[in-house]
Amino acid sequence: MKSGKVSDTVLRRSVLQEVQKVNQGTGIPRVGSGAGLLLLSGADGGLARAGQETEELRYGIAVSAMQTVCAEGLATAYLAAVRAVNSLAAKAARPEYALAAVTVPETMEESLLRKMYERYGVYLRKQKIKIAGGHTAVSGAVSEPVVSVSMTGTVSKTAARHLKKQEDYTGLDVVMTKYCGLGGTALLAGRFEEELEKRYPRRFIAHAAELLEYTEQNEEAYLAAKEGAVYLHAAAEGGVFGALWELAEYAECGLEIDLRAIPILQETVEICEYFDVNPYQLRTEGCFLFLTEHGGRLCERLAEHEIAAAVIGKTVPGLDRAVRNGEEVRYLEPNRVEEYERVRAQRK
């Protein structure tokens, strides 16, 4: 099998098929779900009611998400945590507790392990997340750090009810926030700084690397849920095209996407041109996709909070996932290339 996320076919055939035997055919989890929702014990009553706000926060859903990141040096645990938090945000869930399974190579010094945990801890403190536990090991089987982060949180009953899986998702606007290739642009700029300095000004490269901070921002997911979005998705590996495919798989529908409507930064255009990669298949942590009846209104609402957003297409009947660039049409495919991993592998 190829490095990175397994294909949807392998996931269904060799993973989810066995999961469904355990979950007795509930259909949960599924491709594109990002995180799981479980009813809290006593959610049908019996909770203390010390005011509507308290009830709304406590009467909710327990949520779990796990994300794995490898070979990102001191940022490995941090990036895994960012992905886990964003997965919870895509269920309108507020993260509360984190657990990390960390495996580092024998060549890693303790001082570097400490620094990796420090960056992980700084992010968790910023997000007001507590560490519930974890496991740290050293293994000769890995050459670079591998970190899996699992998180739990709670979602209000209003959001949980609104985001419940529905039968028909066709005819909805697809709204995208921030910019495509955001996480990948930042990581390429940071990892290959010296190489890029031969072509671009140092200030340009530094600004591109700083885009990683945007991956932490996820308030748009909670706003979208309040504004009536019926599906939220946190993009990551596979880029915008990968996220759109997962959205369509979850919604079991087709797509009509306008490529020219997808927001992209000049830094991403320049860096992707240098490495000869497709920006729409470049990992894009920090970007969210929403399905809603009123995409324009949602974008206006997000703009009030200084969050960049655009309507990039619609869901349609059938299973064709079309991306149009003027008269040119291409169709999304499940076996997508992860451009960041390709560049990193070429330059080992």
Side-chain angles (χ1 to χ4, degrees):
M1 294 186 290
K2 296 180 180 179
S3 297
K5 292 175 66 175
V6 297
S7 68
D8 295 343
T9 301
V10 173
L11 183 64
R12 288 194 179 93
R13 183 175 58 219
S14 299
V15 180
L16 293 183
Q17 183 174 340
E18 297 305 313
V19 171
Q20 292 309 315
K21 292 178 183 178
V22 176
N23 288 359
Q24 300 178 344
T26 61
I28 301 172
R30 57 191 299 136
V31 175
S33 61
L37 302 182
L38 301 171
L39 283 171
L40 285 170
S41 176
D44 291 326
L47 291 176
R49 287 171 170 74
Q52 181 62 37
E53 182 177 352
T54 301
E55 179 187 354
E56 181 73 3
L57 290 172
R58 294 187 63 197
Y59 187 122
I61 302 289
V63 187
S64 65
M66 177 175 287
Q67 297 289 333
T68 299
V69 173
C70 63
E72 290 302 341
L74 302 183
T76 305
Y78 159 78
L79 286 169
V82 168
R83 284 191 183 184
V85 169
N86 288 348
S87 291
L88 290 185
K91 285 290 187 288
R94 297 288 181 179
E96 296 181 354
Y97 297 98
L99 299 96
V102 178
T103 304
V104 299
E106 295 173 338
T107 55
M108 190 172 191
E109 298 179 1
E110 182 184 348
S111 60
L112 295 179
L113 176 65
R114 184 186 306 115
K115 288 181 179 180
M116 186 174 71
Y117 264 102
E118 283 176 354
R119 187 166 187 183
Y120 172 66
V122 167
Y123 174 68
L124 294 186
R125 289 196 298 275
K126 187 188 301 184
Q127 298 292 323
K128 299 180 180 179
I129 300 169
K130 301 297 183 183
I131 295 178
H135 177 73
T136 306
V138 179
S139 174
V142 300
S143 58
E144 297 192 64
V146 178
V147 179
S148 294
V149 173
S150 177
M151 291 200 180
T152 61
T154 54
V155 58
S156 71
K157 61 181 178 182
T158 300
R161 181 169 59 246
H162 196 64
L163 295 173
K164 183 179 179 182
K165 182 80 168 68
Q166 54 188 55
E167 293 184 3
D168 186 10
Y169 286 91
T170 58
L172 298 174
D173 289 333
V174 181
V175 172
M176 173 182 159
T177 68
K178 300 191 186 78
Y179 309 95
C180 84
L182 198 58
T185 299
L187 291 170
L188 286 173
R191 179 178 283 263
F192 301 107
E193 178 181 0
E194 292 184 5
E195 181 178 343
L196 288 168
E197 282 182 354
K198 297 175 183 178
R199 177 166 175 176
Y200 301 107
R202 184 170 298 178
R203 183 187 304 176
F204 174 87
I205 301 167
H207 183 263
E210 290 170 358
L211 294 175
L212 198 62
E213 296 178 7
Y214 282 95
T215 67
E216 300 180 12
Q217 301 171 12
N218 54 37
E219 193 60 30
E220 62 257 45
Y222 305 105
L223 289 169
K226 288 182 180 179
E227 292 297 314
V230 298
Y231 175 74
L232 319 176
H233 186 75
E237 291 174 304
V240 172
F241 281 176
L244 285 169
W245 176 269
E246 291 175 349
L247 177 154
E249 285 292 285
Y250 181 89
E252 298 178 327
C253 66
L255 293 172
E256 283 284 346
I257 302 298
D258 181 358
L259 187 73
R260 294 173 297 185
I262 297 177
I264 185 169
L265 293 172
Q266 188 60 31
E267 289 87 346
T268 298
V269 173
E270 296 282 349
I271 289 176
C272 285
E273 181 180 299
Y274 176 84
F275 288 108
D276 190 26
V277 300
N278 186 334
Y280 306 102
Q281 293 175 187
L282 179 64
R283 56 190 288 180
T284 186
E285 291 94 338
C287 164
F288 285 84
L289 297 176
F290 307 134
L291 292 182
T292 179
E293 291 183 1
H294 308 289
R297 190 167 68 190
L298 175 57
C299 289
E300 291 175 0
R301 180 73 173 129
L302 293 172
E304 293 174 4
H305 293 264
E306 299 182 345
I307 299 171
V311 178
I312 64 171
K314 296 186 80 67
T315 56
V316 296
L319 295 178
D320 287 341
R321 288 88 192 250
V323 178
R324 301 186 181 276
N325 184 13
E327 297 299 319
E328 182 183 345
V329 182
R330 65 166 292 175
Y331 293 90
L332 298 180
E333 299 176 354
N335 295 323
R336 46 202 175 270
V337 175
E338 172 47 66
E339 296 285 41
Y340 176 74
E341 295 297 332
R342 182 168 66 83
V343 173
R344 194 173 65 179
Q346 289 174 346
R347 283 167 166 73
K348 279 187 175 179

